[in-house]
Amino acid sequence: MTIPVVVARDEQDLEPVDLDRWTALATAVLADEGVAGEMNLLFVGEAAMAELNEAHMGHEGPTDVLSFPIDGAAAGPDGFVGDVVVCPAVARRNAPDHAGTYNDEVALLVVHGVLHLLGHDHAEDDEAAVMRAREVAHLERFAP
């Protein structure tokens, strides 16, 4: 099997981002899900995330993570899967009431975003339960 390719960039400077750590996590999740494709993992500031959130989701203000899956001929196990965009500043704020630590929160957001790229959702209770189970399994297995 071909190893997935994750291209990561840190486009913000407010919070520390260990690109190697999060690239390895995203790669491990893709491989475990049987996907050999390529994805981008971007870390952005609040202003950039707010713009993306409004333009693509119709919501005001920054959010913690957005996923942009690719549909069509290029998508699939060996094609380009899409982009995951994480806002470290929002992750830092949410961590105490959510995952606990900043790094645990970023790990959760990376896994959550990758699963969205692969078609998982949490709009319905049954979908949310499946997605949450996959998140927990990946975090227990791969999160450093």
Side-chain angles (χ1 to χ4, degrees):
M1 178 173 153
T2 304
I3 296 173
V5 175
V6 176
V7 177
R9 287 193 326 263
D10 183 5
E11 299 179 352
Q12 58 84 53
D13 57 9
L14 187 61
E15 297 291 341
V17 173
D18 184 343
L19 288 179
D20 291 339
R21 179 180 188 175
W22 307 127
T23 299
L25 177 58
T27 302
V29 172
L30 288 171
D32 199 52
E33 293 286 332
V35 176
E38 181 177 334
M39 66 164 276
N40 292 317
L41 178 60
L42 308 170
F43 295 89
V44 301
E46 290 185 88
M49 185 60 101
E51 286 180 30
L52 290 169
N53 198 22
E54 185 162 346
H56 297 281
M57 304 302 291
H59 300 151
E60 249 185 67
T63 189
D64 51 6
V65 63
L66 290 171
S67 295
F68 300 98
I70 300 297
D71 296 322
D78 297 320
F80 185 71
V81 180
D83 300 325
V84 171
V85 183
V86 175
C87 184
V90 175
R92 172 78 67 192
R93 265 197 314 276
N94 291 347
D97 296 326
H98 200 231
T101 70
Y102 168 72
N103 282 326
D104 288 345
E105 186 73 11
V106 173
L108 174 61
L109 296 176
V110 169
V111 171
H112 187 86
V114 171
L115 290 175
H116 269 308
L117 289 185
L118 304 181
H120 290 272
D121 201 1
H122 46 80
E124 303 294 328
D125 288 345
D126 59 334
E127 294 173 333
V130 170
M131 187 170 185
R132 183 66 186 144
R134 296 303 304 146
E135 286 172 351
V136 168
H138 289 305
L139 288 168
E140 287 177 352
R141 186 164 178 203
F142 301 119

